[in-house]
Amino acid sequence: MAYERYRCWILGNCPTLGTGPVVDLLAGSASGGTAVLCTYPLDLARTKLAFQVNNTDQPSNGLKRPSAPPSYGGIKDVFRGVYSEGGVRALYRGVGPTLMGILPYAGLKFYIYEGLKAHVPEDYKNSVTLKLSCGAAAGLFGQTLTYPLDVVRRQMQVQSHLQHDQSGGPRITGTFQGLKIIKQTQGWRQLFAGLSLNYIKVVPSVAIGFTAYDTMKHLLKIPPRESIKPEQGSA
């Protein structure tokens, strides 16, 4: 919804940009940022709950953990605990790297997807297989470029408020500082740790998402964008 709204606004207010893929890039970036700001606390809760399970399952080898993470019983428990630590700002810890990652990621997804579709022959415009292929390529390319920022975000979400994190390294407080710290203390490969597993989730997810998106527009009889004048978008 946000993507279409932003796209119509850009077409109506910035005619110099034309109607090409640059508009898709800007609208996609803006819509991705909007979605993140609306749902980020839920993503924070998910990460903390997953991190808690992983640490509980690890054997302690008889050693007492120096600063074990708090135990949460559910999403409300996470919100209550995190809010008590630092208020609303704590619920958005790590949102900086997330926005820096989602803006190019979401923009590139729409940019690549719409760009690839534009080169599909007219006879195959409604092919589900081609839509899936275009969506998969968009997800693969966008995820690869922005994955290190996702690693920084995850580490910021689970780190403690101590000056040093549980691994003994300095605390991550910003995006570029986090990239530098992870590279120096854990190696540059850590910035891409889990990328192959993420492909298994993200690539088909993006492909199915774009295909369902286009299919629903067709079923709802929404006119193709080529037939919509820029002046109509500002309405």
Side-chain angles (χ1 to χ4, degrees):
M1 182 192 72
Y3 167 72
E4 294 293 348
R5 292 289 183 177
Y6 282 124
R7 189 175 188 277
C8 288
W9 185 89
I10 294 172
L11 290 175
N13 294 273
C14 306
T16 55
L17 294 176
T19 59
V22 174
V23 176
D24 298 316
L25 180 66
L26 295 175
S29 297
S31 63
T34 300
V36 163
L37 292 175
C38 291
T39 62
Y40 188 79
L42 289 171
D43 185 65
L44 177 70
R46 180 191 65 169
T47 301
K48 283 188 171 294
L49 289 171
F51 180 77
Q52 166 183 277
V53 172
N54 289 337
N55 278 274
T56 303
D57 292 341
Q58 291 177 356
S60 60
N61 295 327
L63 298 177
K64 184 179 179 180
R65 305 181 69 84
S67 56
S71 177
Y72 300 111
I75 294 178
K76 290 183 179 179
D77 199 14
V78 174
F79 286 163
R80 192 179 301 111
V82 174
Y83 184 82
S84 65
E85 292 176 2
V88 175
R89 290 188 62 181
L91 292 172
Y92 282 86
R93 186 183 304 135
V95 73
T98 304
L99 286 174
M100 291 190 66
I102 200 64
L103 292 180
Y105 174 61
L108 284 170
K109 278 198 310 182
F110 282 97
Y111 179 88
I112 296 171
Y113 179 70
E114 296 296 344
L116 290 174
K117 276 205 316 177
H119 291 85
V120 174
E122 193 65 33
D123 294 342
Y124 297 95
K125 288 288 187 182
N126 295 324
S127 171
V128 174
T129 302
L130 279 176
K131 289 179 180 178
L132 286 170
S133 300
C134 293
L140 180 69
F141 188 71
Q143 183 68 191
T144 303
L145 289 181
T146 60
Y147 189 76
L149 297 172
D150 192 56
V151 173
V152 174
R153 170 176 65 93
R154 297 289 183 188
Q155 295 205 15
M156 285 186 71
Q157 287 178 338
V158 299
Q159 70 184 358
S160 67
H161 280 283
L162 301 177
Q163 182 62 32
H164 296 274
D165 64 15
Q166 294 177 3
S167 62
R171 187 165 176 264
I172 298 175
T173 58
T175 305
F176 294 107
Q177 178 241 17
L179 291 170
K180 183 178 179 181
I181 287 176
I182 293 174
K183 181 177 179 295
Q184 290 177 345
T185 61
Q186 304 173 41
W188 67 268
R189 291 180 180 273
Q190 184 63 29
L191 293 172
F192 293 92
L195 178 59
S196 58
L197 290 175
N198 222 46
Y199 283 152
I200 299 175
K201 179 189 77 170
V202 171
V203 172
S205 173
V206 173
I208 294 171
F210 274 126
T211 303
Y213 169 72
D214 274 344
T215 302
M216 288 304 299
K217 287 178 67 174
H218 177 72
L219 293 176
L220 294 173
K221 302 186 185 309
I222 297 175
R225 60 175 54 192
E226 291 82 2
S227 64
I228 301 177
K229 302 294 185 183
E231 291 77 19
Q232 292 177 296
S234 59

